[in-house]
Amino acid sequence: MRIRSLAGAVALGLGAAASAGAQNYQRAEQFLTWNALRNIYHDQVAPTWYRDSTRFWYRVQTREGFQFLTVNPATGAKATLFDNSRLAAALSMAADTALNPAKLPFQTLAFDQEGRDESAVRFRIGTRGFRCELGSYRCAKADTLPNLTRYVRSPDDKWDAFSSGGNLWVRPAAGGDSIKLTTDGSDGYAYGVTSPLPSQVRFKLPSRAVAVWSPDSKRIAVARYDERKVEKFHLISMTSARPVEYSYPYGLPGDSTVTTTEWYVADVGARSVTKVKADPEPQMSIYSFSATGAGELQWSASGDRVFFTHVNRGPKKVHLMSADAATGDARVVLGDSAASYVVGVIDLFGAAGPNWKVLANGDIVWFSERDGFGHYYRFGPDGKLKNQITAGPWTVSKLLWVDEKLGRIFFTAKGHEAGRHPDYNFLYSAGLDGAGLALLSPEDGNHEVMPVPSGRYFIDTYSTVSRPPVVMLRNVGSTPPVELERADIKDLLATGWKPGEIFMAKARDGVTEVWGVIWKPSTFDTTKKYPVIDHIYPGPLITPAIKSFYPQRGGFNYPMSGQVQALAELGFVIVSIDALGNTGRAKALYASWYGNLGDNGIPDHLAVIKQLGVRIPQLDLDRVGIYGHSGGGFSSTDALLRYPGFYKVAVSTSGNHDNRTYYHGWGERFQGLLVRDTVSKTDNYTAAANKTYANQLEGKLFLLHGDMDDNVHPAHTIALVDALIKANKTFDLLIVPDANHQLTDNPYVIRRTWDYFVQNLMGGVAPKNYAITPATP
């Protein structure tokens, strides 16, 4: 019997697993994102706009090294910004060091005189600043570039608005004394900024004031944040001889007081400030710049009124408000409500910007899910509905631009094109009257679209998991698009790298289609069995199964952070699944487990993995692991605790294991307001907390957390550890000193994750103290 079991183990691939030595790790390491990117060329256009907002330049990796290119959208012309060889020669003399033209030692630059003089550029090499004339190619040492992050420039380029000492200030852009516009600001009740997070303090990151200039540059709408009675969280850095404490306001579900926002209007010429007469709005995100910020306020074309959104705690209601800029008198224009929560007026994390627009004639383009799908509607200035602009069983994603002369809106949307991935975004336009819906990006793939600020042009990067990016410059008219870049991945493929594969399966209900991506090792052998690892992020509203080419150069991308292809190369099959709560295809889908955050979409994961096991006999469903970061850390631990017969190993980084300890805006949005039961001494969050199920732990659990995490406080993991100890359970724990929330790109954390799965899921032996080389610029 014993010999028979050993033979069976070898047949399952455990013999190969046991040899997961340094050479296996070396092979996997070459597929880590920062290494894979070295073998990809012409894959990205990240524009920096010229002062006139009509042209842009970007930096791109070519086989000859990095180049800086400039583009004029009106003509489609593309040219090098400068001659790398001549600039390197001139800069070598100025810097007194030999520089390689293919590897110029800077990634960004600025035109001289804050963009006014395009004949010279400034940049920084380390701590030294340089100025180079592009005509004569003469370089000289210069003052380092000023950090303008904290300043908000007026439309006429004459003023910079900023926050200092809790008050709103302006300064002349051309130089001169600053002017203090408010005098009653203070810590905890400041104009334009919230209290800095510990990460901002530690890394000396400036806070940009949430201030919006009127079109005529005469007034500024500024947010004022009230944190005075909000209870605080504390973090302690313990790596120095004397530990350093950091404190910051942090509202939790059930708190009577959370951070709120009020709007004020400052008249620069009159040096006066008027409060907008509206109820304070609860801040629904830990990041002030995303949830309550400039994206939620717009000026009228005449500059006499401000429009802003207002949500309640939950948030189940959203209103569009309008206020007189001179008097502050405010009224409700229109609104929406939901039994679960409203979403889409502004992107959940603020990255997409506002999904509404006030037009010059007073009409309003407004996002709503009132018919069960996210669509645009047109309202009059009086708040009365004129017409629905888009309609059907699909959803719009992002409002990019409104051409009021043409009477058309331009936006991205998903689910409209038959036979395409339902979560791929495409570029469309439609008439404000709802007529003439037009697809502007017909290529199959996920389209990431950015408008040129001056309008009429769009930078469209499209790709799939298996097809690398193509970057197009599109015109709103009939002019054919111009191809800016087409990714070259020949060198990447030469390393043995293979892309993930898209699949479809049925959700827990056996009816609804869900989508995912599966990654196999490049040496995948159809005669062997492979352990399966589920890479999870629960959302809601965030789809973890990537839609675009992997790897990407940045962005909010948990599969990239999870380094899925590298982990697969060790001898695992990795799956990433968009469960019902992840996809934004329809309100009924993404709100399917509203009020039950502990669901985490895991029943869908079980259903899908079992279906894959039937389709792919090489998958060993007796060895299934799971890992994830942040919300994925919460859900991966939850999966092991609630489904120990299915999941055997979990690695959980920075998990929000109990949303009563996480920021109120998250839990109250997806779980609902906290309601306590005085009889049972529990609440409606108890059933979703991992520590509630500590006594059910059976498999191998590895918890990791940074002790300076100011997003998901380490108290989440420590409280779970306390419950596991009280339940007499065995587990593994790693606290990473001085690490914030970004753990998944930490080389040590990656290596320990590999070790844990190799040893506990594969049954192999990990190389001792293997060192992963970290990313370099």
Side-chain angles (χ1 to χ4, degrees), residues 224-479:
R224 190 179 190 185
Y225 300 103
D226 191 348
E227 309 168 298
R228 290 172 293 181
K229 296 182 180 180
V230 180
E231 294 192 55
K232 294 186 176 182
F233 264 4
H234 310 276
L235 291 170
I236 300 178
S237 173
M238 293 177 281
T239 54
S240 58
R242 188 177 296 278
V244 180
E245 179 186 3
Y246 299 86
S247 299
Y248 54 106
Y250 197 101
L252 297 178
D255 282 359
S256 59
T257 303
V258 298
T259 300
T260 58
T261 304
E262 303 161 315
W263 286 102
Y264 287 73
V265 176
D267 187 310
V268 177
R271 309 290 193 264
S272 63
V273 179
T274 302
K275 181 178 180 180
V276 173
K277 299 170 185 176
D279 292 336
E281 180 187 31
Q283 184 180 315
M284 294 306 296
S285 168
I286 187 174
Y287 303 111
S288 64
F289 58 78
S290 59
T292 301
E296 287 191 357
L297 182 139
Q298 298 176 26
W299 282 89
S300 64
S302 59
D304 61 345
R305 300 194 70 82
V306 291
F307 295 83
F308 57 97
T309 55
H310 188 287
V311 298
N312 63 345
R313 283 183 73 168
K316 295 179 183 294
K317 295 180 180 180
V318 59
H319 291 112
L320 179 66
M321 309 287 293
S322 173
D324 186 294
T327 66
D329 293 335
R331 63 181 178 87
V332 173
V333 180
L334 57 91
D336 274 306
S337 62
S340 53
Y341 52 93
V342 291
V343 71
V345 174
I346 188 167
D347 173 79
L348 183 60
F349 288 98
N355 234 345
W356 58 277
K357 175 70 174 176
V358 179
L359 308 183
N361 66 357
D363 282 358
I364 301 154
V365 177
W366 180 256
F367 173 93
S368 175
E369 296 178 300
R370 57 188 61 190
D371 67 357
F373 294 88
H375 283 296
Y376 294 122
Y377 296 75
R378 181 170 62 146
F379 291 84
D382 57 1
K384 292 183 179 179
L385 178 64
K386 285 190 171 182
N387 60 273
Q388 186 169 350
I389 299 174
T390 62
W394 49 282
T395 183
V396 300
S397 302
K398 182 177 180 180
L399 182 62
L400 298 170
W401 186 52
V402 180
D403 190 319
E404 299 185 46
K405 291 182 179 179
L406 289 177
R408 299 189 69 80
I409 67 171
F410 296 81
F411 59 95
T412 53
K414 54 190 176 182
H416 182 269
E417 304 307 310
R420 305 287 179 87
H421 195 303
D423 283 305
Y424 281 176
N425 276 303
F426 293 86
L427 175 64
Y428 298 88
S429 71
L432 285 168
D433 59 0
L437 178 70
L439 173 65
L440 303 181
S441 58
E443 301 88 352
D444 188 17
N446 186 47
H447 294 254
E448 300 172 6
V449 185
M450 179 183 301
V452 174
S454 59
R456 302 193 62 82
Y457 305 96
F458 302 92
I459 301 171
D460 175 15
T461 304
Y462 69 89
S463 66
T464 69
V465 171
S466 58
R467 292 197 297 274
V470 178
V471 186
M472 306 294 291
L473 179 66
R474 300 188 186 277
N475 189 304
V476 301
S478 58
T479 304

Side-chain angles (χ1 to χ4, degrees), residues 147 149 196-208 740:
N147 189 336
T149 303
L197 294 171
S199 292
Q200 290 178 270
V201 176
R202 292 172 62 216
F203 300 116
K204 299 179 180 180
L205 303 176
S207 294
R208 182 180 175 87
N740 60 16

Side-chain angles (χ1 to χ4, degrees), residues 159-172:
W159 297 96
D160 286 326
F162 64 100
S163 180
S164 179
N167 283 296
L168 178 69
W169 298 66
V170 292
R171 68 173 191 175

Side-chain angles (χ1 to χ4, degrees), residues 551-772:
Q552 298 178 41
R553 297 183 189 274
F556 185 76
N557 192 322
Y558 273 104
M560 181 179 71
S561 299
Q563 305 289 0
V564 284
Q565 190 62 54
L567 181 57
E569 195 63 16
L570 293 176
F572 300 100
V573 171
I574 316 296
V575 296
S576 191
I577 299 162
D578 289 341
L580 292 182
N582 294 117
T583 178
R585 280 180 278 160
K587 182 81 172 182
L589 291 181
Y590 75 70
S592 60
W593 37 278
Y594 168 74
N596 181 20
L597 274 174
D599 181 290
N600 277 307
I602 298 171
D604 299 317
H605 285 244
L606 267 65
V608 169
I609 293 173
K610 289 175 182 177
Q611 293 169 64
L612 292 176
V614 174
R615 299 180 198 173
I616 309 172
Q618 293 80 16
L619 303 189
D620 184 358
L621 298 196
D622 288 328
R623 293 183 292 163
V624 179
I626 188 168
Y627 77 123
H629 172 71
S630 193
F634 164 43
S635 51
S636 55
T637 297
D638 180 38
L640 190 64
L641 294 174
R642 297 212 211 186
Y643 303 94
F646 188 79
Y647 292 102
K648 304 301 192 299
V649 181
V651 176
S652 305
T653 56
S654 310
N656 52 315
H657 298 286
D658 185 345
N659 283 292
R660 289 169 294 195
T661 308
Y662 191 50
Y663 195 77
H664 78 93
W666 181 268
E668 292 177 355
R669 183 189 299 269
F670 301 119
Q671 184 68 29
L673 299 179
L674 189 142
V675 179
R676 294 183 174 87
D677 187 326
T678 55
V679 176
S680 64
K681 295 184 179 180
T682 61
D683 53 56
N684 56 321
Y685 281 59
T686 301
N690 281 337
K691 66 183 181 183
T692 303
Y693 308 97
N695 63 342
Q696 297 180 192
L697 177 63
E698 293 182 13
K700 298 288 293 185
L701 174 62
F702 188 16
L703 301 169
L704 303 93
H705 218 118
D707 70 355
M708 291 299 292
D709 190 334
D710 51 17
N711 181 351
V712 178
H713 195 281
H716 285 266
T717 291
I718 298 303
L720 176 58
V721 164
D722 180 55
L724 291 168
I725 291 173
K726 289 176 179 175
N728 195 33
K729 297 296 180 178
T730 301
F731 59 94
D732 294 285
L733 172 68
L734 173 64
I735 300 297
V736 184
D738 280 347
N740 60 16
H741 195 57
Q742 307 305 318
L743 276 190
T744 54
D745 288 333
N746 181 306
Y748 184 77
V749 170
I750 292 171
R751 194 267 289 177
R752 291 295 304 274
T753 299
W754 290 1
D755 290 352
Y756 207 78
F757 282 125
V758 165
Q759 294 165 347
N760 296 294
L761 188 64
M762 184 182 285
V765 178
K768 185 177 181 180
N769 297 330
Y770 182 85
I772 292 176

Side-chain angles (χ1 to χ4, degrees), residues 20 32 70-71 112 127 172 271 277 332 377 394 498 502 535 613 649 718:
L32 290 173
T70 181
V71 177
D112 209 10
T127 59
R271 309 290 193 264
K277 299 170 185 176
V332 173
Y377 296 75
W394 49 282
K498 295 184 182 301
I502 297 172
H535 182 256
V649 181
I718 298 303

Side-chain angles (χ1 to χ4, degrees), residues 105-109 122-130 144-146:
F106 55 88
Q107 297 184 30
T108 187
L109 55 84
R122 290 176 178 266
F123 45 80
R124 184 165 49 203
I125 301 176
T127 59
R128 296 183 299 170
F130 293 88
T144 58
L145 291 172

